[in-house]
Amino acid sequence: MDQVRYPILTEKAIRLLEKNQYSFDVDVECNKTEIKKWIELFFDVKVTNINSHRLPRRKKKIGAITGYTVRYKRMIIKLRSGYSIPLFSNE
């Protein structure tokens, strides 16, 4: 459950929502089959396809210290027609 960090809401991700595709940042060590099982179990949906890629590292400088931002893997999950994932709670 800790492997999926949070949903992504960028301009591209919003365009993909129209095609029933959802974007999530996940832990770097997890794979597609683990994420597919978790999404299907937690949201009670049927996943047809998963695409994944690693985001490029970005330098971050705080004072004299230079480091890199935390890396995540981004997964684009396509659902079967008729299914959807609620991204926002109704509360």
Side-chain angles (χ1 to χ4, degrees):
M1 219 165 145
D2 295 332
Q3 294 175 344
V4 176
R5 300 290 181 196
Y6 44 83
I8 302 300
L9 293 175
T10 59
E11 290 180 19
K12 180 180 179 180
I14 292 171
R15 276 187 276 127
L16 290 174
L17 287 175
E18 296 171 357
K19 299 177 184 177
N20 209 16
Q21 296 178 0
Y22 296 85
S23 301
F24 292 95
D25 272 353
V26 298
D27 192 20
V28 176
E29 297 175 357
C30 63
N31 57 24
K32 291 181 181 182
T33 56
E34 292 173 353
I35 296 301
K36 180 180 178 180
K37 288 178 186 177
W38 188 87
I39 293 290
E40 286 181 346
L41 179 71
F42 188 74
F43 292 111
D44 195 30
V45 295
K46 296 293 182 185
V47 176
T48 59
N49 191 8
I50 295 180
N51 294 327
S52 68
H53 70 280
R54 289 188 183 177
L55 300 172
R57 296 190 317 173
R58 292 191 178 167
K59 272 190 176 178
K60 191 169 191 177
K61 186 173 182 179
I62 300 174
I65 300 171
T66 302
Y68 291 97
T69 57
V70 178
R71 292 192 60 185
Y72 293 114
K73 191 186 288 186
R74 185 160 291 170
M75 297 226 176
I76 300 173
I77 299 168
K78 184 175 182 179
L79 301 180
R80 199 177 286 174
S81 62
Y83 291 98
S84 66
I85 295 175
L87 294 178
F88 303 107
S89 63
N90 293 335
E91 297 176 3

